[in-house]
Amino acid sequence: MAPAPAHAVLISGASSGIGRACALDLAAGGFRVFAGVRRETDAESLRRAGGDRLHPVMLDVTCEQDILKALGDIRQALDARERFALVNNAGVALSGPLEATSSEALRDLFEVNVVGVLSLTRAALPLLRERRGRIVNIGSTSGRFASALLGPYCASKFALEALTTSLRLELGETGIQVSIIEPGVVATPFWDKMRSAEQRLLREMPEALRAGYADRMAARHVLIERLGRSGMAPEEVALAVRHALSAKRPRKRYVVGLRDRIRAAAAARLPDGLRRAIATLRGRGAASFRR
Ligand SMILES: NC(=O)c1ccc[n+]([C@@H]2O[C@H](COP(=O)([O-])OP(=O)(O)OC[C@H]3O[C@@H](n4cnc5c(N)ncnc54)[C@H](OP(=O)(O)O)[C@@H]3O)[C@@H](O)[C@H]2O)c1
């Protein structure tokens, strides 16, 4: 699965977790990697770890100026025969009861997980067309199966699934291949960020709402803590990304973490009442765990 003679890739959100693992894996595999970061310290850390194939670029996917500058710089840097691909990885978590989710928080989430993906993709398309490129989006099991207290994030990843399919169909004749990676639980800083945000949300929630959700949210905090530790390594996701970028026939969809997928699919088949009962039992368990 060696890359084409010369192959460059832009990865958004490469400061940590899956993005960083992809950047290091692809650089080690012979790709020239343009790694999107938002802080100079992250750029420096990537430079040190990734060697001379890794070029950090400042990229906030919600900032049109950043997007245009990053792609302009990449265009200048590409060699005549170099192919180019885009990995849309940057993403944020937002969980908690939908009833307690503000429209502003939902907009901020979609701005990164959905609008940011389209903004970066749209701006990259001229280059992708010229260079017979590929697009790889990092979706999630949560983009296929929705669950309670994860509604905002699930909605953004469902939207990304739709966006990926439409793009794939629209670009079919251009030769640009579009894939989506659907990881289960991956051990990255994502889970700590989600837990802190949920704890804040719980603290700030009006008392009337808190009473109705506190037990289930406490159960989720215990679960999130466990997931953050026990998830698969981000390098497993990087392998799927590498396949999507290098295989002669990349797949439309890569499920990474079959066990998580089976668990989510099985939960989705349970009657709603049973799913709620399980969540309540977990909530009681967590409440007694905290006492
Ligand atoms: N961890 C999992 O279990 C899991 C499972 C399925 C899918 N995913 C998806 O995988 C992707 C990567 O997540 P991760 O687990 O690796 O979490 P992570 O370590 O928290 O990485 C998220 C990355 O996105 C970047 N980011 C956030 N907002 C951004 C913005 N406005 N512009 C540019 N970059 C931005 C972050 O940069 P800063 O450091 O600058 O904030 C960071 O580099 C996300 O799309 C996530 O939804 C994760």
Side-chain angles (χ1 to χ4, degrees):
M1 230 177 18
H7 209 141
V9 58
L10 169 61
I11 306 173
S12 65
S15 69
S16 61
I18 294 169
R20 181 179 167 95
C22 289
L24 296 179
D25 176 77
L26 292 169
F31 284 78
R32 185 144 71 124
V33 177
F34 295 94
V37 293
R38 298 195 291 174
R39 286 174 295 270
E40 187 48 47
T41 46
D42 294 325
E44 195 42 49
S45 159
L46 275 168
R47 264 188 221 107
R48 260 187 281 135
D52 58 4
R53 285 187 185 281
L54 209 151
H55 311 276
V57 290
M58 284 299 153
L59 178 60
D60 183 322
V61 297
T62 65
C63 172
E64 209 68 35
Q65 256 180 328
D66 272 14
I67 291 177
L68 295 179
K69 165 106 177 55
L71 285 163
D73 290 350
I74 292 170
R75 179 181 280 283
Q76 297 262 310
L78 289 184
D79 299 335
R81 287 188 61 245
E82 206 163 15
R83 293 182 68 179
F84 175 66
L86 172 65
V87 178
N88 284 306
N89 165 76
V92 288
L94 178 66
S95 55
L98 284 165
E99 194 178 359
T101 303
S102 71
S103 300
E104 192 191 356
L106 192 68
R107 277 190 202 105
D108 288 348
L109 170 81
F110 270 69
E111 202 57 45
V112 180
N113 291 10
V114 184
V115 180
V117 171
L118 186 57
S119 304
L120 184 57
T121 304
R122 202 175 37 229
L125 269 169
L127 204 49
L128 289 164
R129 273 206 172 83
E130 289 164 29
R131 308 281 177 151
R132 287 182 302 135
R134 290 186 181 182
I135 300 170
V136 178
N137 291 339
I138 307 296
S140 169
T141 302
S142 300
R144 307 279 286 175
F145 302 98
S147 52
L149 305 183
L150 198 55
Y153 179 71
C154 292
S156 74
K157 290 296 181 181
F158 267 67
L160 183 62
E161 286 283 343
L163 204 142
T164 306
T165 302
S166 298
L167 255 183
R168 197 184 68 243
L169 295 171
E170 287 170 11
L171 297 176
E173 282 167 12
T174 65
I176 298 173
Q177 279 150 323
V178 185
S179 303
I180 188 159
I181 315 283
E182 296 170 353
V185 177
V186 189
T188 71
F190 180 87
W191 296 100
D192 273 348
K193 295 176 194 171
M194 183 187 279
R195 195 160 56 98
S196 316
E198 264 192 35
Q199 280 167 339
R200 203 168 45 244
L201 180 70
L202 189 58
R203 272 197 310 273
E204 290 167 4
M205 219 182 256
E207 184 53 42
L209 279 186
R210 196 180 306 131
Y213 290 106
D215 275 4
R216 278 194 286 164
M217 286 182 75
R220 259 187 63 76
H221 293 165
V222 175
L223 182 71
I224 291 172
E225 198 167 20
R226 207 176 62 219
L227 292 177
R229 285 195 310 265
S230 65
M232 72 186 112
E235 287 72 21
E236 289 191 43
V237 184
L239 283 181
V241 170
R242 178 140 53 94
H243 188 278
L245 293 177
S246 348
K248 203 163 167 198
R249 286 194 191 78
R251 294 182 216 145
K252 289 190 272 193
R253 176 169 281 117
Y254 292 78
V255 173
V256 186
L258 194 57
R259 200 188 48 179
D260 297 329
R261 171 55 67 103
I262 290 169
R263 197 174 288 158
R269 285 173 169 267
L270 294 176
D272 285 356
L274 188 53
R275 286 182 83 171
R276 273 197 297 272
I278 292 170
T280 307
L281 280 176
R282 271 188 178 158
R284 289 204 186 115
S288 57
F289 177 85
R290 281 179 306 148
R291 275 198 280 267

